[in-house]
Amino acid sequence: RVTCLLRTDLTEPLRLDSCLVYPNPTRGPASFTFQLSRAALVSVKIWTIAGRLVRMLEPRPCQFGYNQIDWDGLDRFGMSLPNGVYLYRIDARTQEGTGQSYSASHRDRFIIHH
């Protein structure tokens, strides 16, 4: 049995890494996966390629390391999205007890193909 002790550097700004949509292309439900350098509140916004917001997944607490936010593949009215290219943004925010806040975001695209 091996015991490892880790020390995090809490002075490091918030980092959002390894962001993916799985599966991509998707036929509907998908997962937004990412890694965080510290615990944070994370939200996901999805737009059409023309810039119309189709869905916002409410902020939720996520932990240090690997995280996954599942999406049902529906717009804000509960309708399936048509085939096409869509844009997404993952936003992460944290507020320290000292009043210091950090934020990070990642933007990319994914495909819906039924």
Side-chain angles (χ1 to χ4, degrees), residues 1-2 8 11 13 15 17 23 26 35 58-59 61-62 71 74 77 80 83-85 90 92-93 99 102 105 111-112:
R1 182 174 185 183
V2 175
T8 59
T11 61
R15 275 194 351 263
D17 296 314
T26 182
Q35 293 197 34
E58 294 298 321
C62 293
W71 171 52
L74 304 176
F77 303 111
S80 294
N83 289 344
V85 176
I90 300 173
R93 294 182 187 276
Y102 297 99
S105 65
I111 298 169
I112 293 179

Side-chain angles (χ1 to χ4, degrees), residues 19-71:
C19 302
L20 293 172
V21 177
Y22 181 81
N24 187 12
T26 182
R27 293 175 186 248
S31 296
F32 295 89
T33 63
F34 53 92
Q35 293 197 34
L36 290 171
S37 62
R38 60 174 59 206
L41 280 177
V42 178
S43 64
V44 178
K45 292 181 181 175
I46 302 163
W47 291 273
T48 64
I49 198 76
R52 181 178 61 86
L53 181 66
V54 294
R55 183 79 182 267
M56 178 181 166
L57 305 178
E58 294 298 321
R60 61 194 70 192
C62 293
Q63 301 303 311
F64 164 82
Y66 175 84
N67 289 273
Q68 176 176 313
I69 295 178
D70 296 324
W71 171 52

